[in-house]
Amino acid sequence: MSIENRLTELGIDIPTPVAPVANYVPYVVVGNLVSVSGQIPMSKGKLAFEGKVEAGVTIEEARSAARLCALNIISQLKAACDGDLNRVKRIVKLGAFVNCVDGFGGQPQIVNAASDLMVEVFGDKGRHSRSAVGTNALPLNVPVEIDALVEIE
């Protein structure tokens, strides 16, 4: 089954790629690797979530933000693959940052929402290594930012 058919089956619409908010590019292709810059929870050109986990942002909201970051990663991948997500051979790694209060240790639970989406969409090719790091602040006060390294054909 093609990835596009899988997305349709899952009822997932891939958003338009988000433009960079500073001096960087959204992705870089080097050989058969795509490095996707950190994606934040943007939807339709606006921040969908703002704030710090457990200080205004619930764990469920943060999980939704992480899933939106993953959708934005897929959007950038689609652009990097000239519209053909079937070129994705493997999601190699996700690097995730969670804006949270001191002492919070639930970063893996939050980032699982992004990891789960990658496996839902890409199957075994979506299984990846990962970092899930807590931090005291993120750009634009978002609760989650996730980058990716992906192997393509």
Side-chain angles (χ1 to χ4, degrees), residues 1 8 14 40 45 55 79 90 94-95 117-118 121:
M1 174 184 295
T8 299
I14 299 301
I40 60 177
R90 182 76 187 239
L94 296 182
L117 180 68
M118 293 302 176
V121 172

Side-chain angles (χ1 to χ4, degrees), residues 14-101:
I14 299 301
T16 302
V18 176
V21 297
N23 187 18
Y24 63 92
V25 293
Y27 61 84
V28 173
V29 179
V30 178
N32 65 338
L33 292 176
V34 180
S35 175
V36 179
S37 294
Q39 298 296 298
I40 60 177
M42 295 282 285
S43 179
K44 299 177 183 168
K46 295 183 180 181
L47 287 177
F49 298 92
E50 290 183 67
K52 188 178 290 278
V53 177
E54 294 210 324
V57 175
T58 68
I59 290 173
E60 277 311 307
E61 288 169 330
R63 285 178 53 80
S64 294
R67 182 178 171 91
L68 184 51
C69 291
L71 284 170
N72 287 328
I73 287 169
I74 294 170
S75 175
Q76 297 295 352
L77 279 176
K78 188 171 181 176
C81 292
D82 301 317
D84 184 5
L85 286 169
N86 291 314
R87 291 181 56 198
V88 172
K89 285 183 70 174
R90 182 76 187 239
I91 305 299
V92 177
K93 183 173 184 183
L94 296 182
F97 300 89
V98 178
N99 180 6
C100 55
V101 297

